[in-house]
Amino acid sequence: MSEPTHAAPEERLRLFEAADFPAYRAWYADAELDAHLGPMDEDWLTFVLADKDGRQFSYLAQEKLVAVIGVAPDPDLDAWVVTDIAVDPALRGLGWAGRALTSLMRDEALGARPRRLAYVMSDNPGARRFFTAQGWRCITETKADDMALFEAPRP
């Protein structure tokens, strides 16, 4: 995986490592994060480190973990699907999620699939606002599973 060229030198995206887990897990003491992405446990870490299809990335600022973002392939839609984005709750609202997503979308590791998608639960209006603010558009509202499908703009 290449390092993104657009990030400031003190910011970088890399694959999630086991050493990131203690800091990441501590974020889940935050009720809002835990409600949308939790619970966080050792089984998650074991899965992420062994997963050969999806990828979990760490976004670092001055070598401090500030965001974690995951993607999984959807071969039927020829897309990478954003599965989760988490930001250190102490840094919420400062633009880290957008910077991490922008860095990820430009990463060569995702180049093999032309589309970028994200499923968002209806009970997560913050995520809906986030993707809309990033220029993604809602292409499907699914009543059966209470999710909306967002698509990134094409480069």
Side-chain angles (χ1 to χ4, degrees):
M1 185 187 79
S2 64
E3 291 296 321
T5 57
H6 64 284
E10 65 276 357
E11 295 177 22
R12 68 185 178 109
L13 180 75
R14 65 158 166 74
L15 289 173
F16 189 89
E17 299 173 355
D20 299 330
F21 188 66
Y24 183 54
R25 187 176 195 175
W27 296 356
Y28 284 79
D30 178 79
E32 183 179 345
L33 182 60
D34 190 58
H36 292 296
L37 295 178
M40 180 53 54
D41 57 23
E42 297 287 335
D43 290 340
W44 178 90
L45 177 62
T46 300
F47 173 79
V48 163
L49 296 178
D51 189 10
K52 301 295 183 209
D53 296 319
R55 294 182 178 90
Q56 201 74 26
F57 293 91
S58 296
Y59 194 73
L60 303 140
Q62 298 178 348
E63 296 307 308
K64 179 185 185 301
L65 184 66
V66 296
V68 174
I69 184 167
V71 293
D74 184 329
D76 294 336
L77 297 175
D78 199 17
W80 282 103
V81 177
V82 175
T83 57
D84 55 281
I85 301 175
V87 172
D88 179 341
L91 303 173
R92 191 177 285 139
L94 299 177
W96 290 111
R99 290 159 82 168
L101 182 64
T102 297
S103 185
L104 177 66
M105 293 300 108
R106 292 180 179 165
D107 195 87
E108 292 174 10
L110 303 187
R113 298 185 187 280
R115 298 177 75 195
R116 310 290 185 263
L117 304 172
Y119 289 95
V120 178
M121 295 293 297
S122 64
D123 68 351
N124 194 347
R128 295 173 73 93
R129 286 189 302 273
F130 169 76
F131 281 107
T132 300
Q134 301 304 309
W136 293 46
R137 65 184 181 89
C138 183
I139 58 173
T140 306
E141 293 278 352
T142 308
K143 301 259 188 266
D145 56 10
D146 210 19
M147 298 187 104
L149 178 61
F150 283 77
E151 184 170 23
R154 302 247 177 178

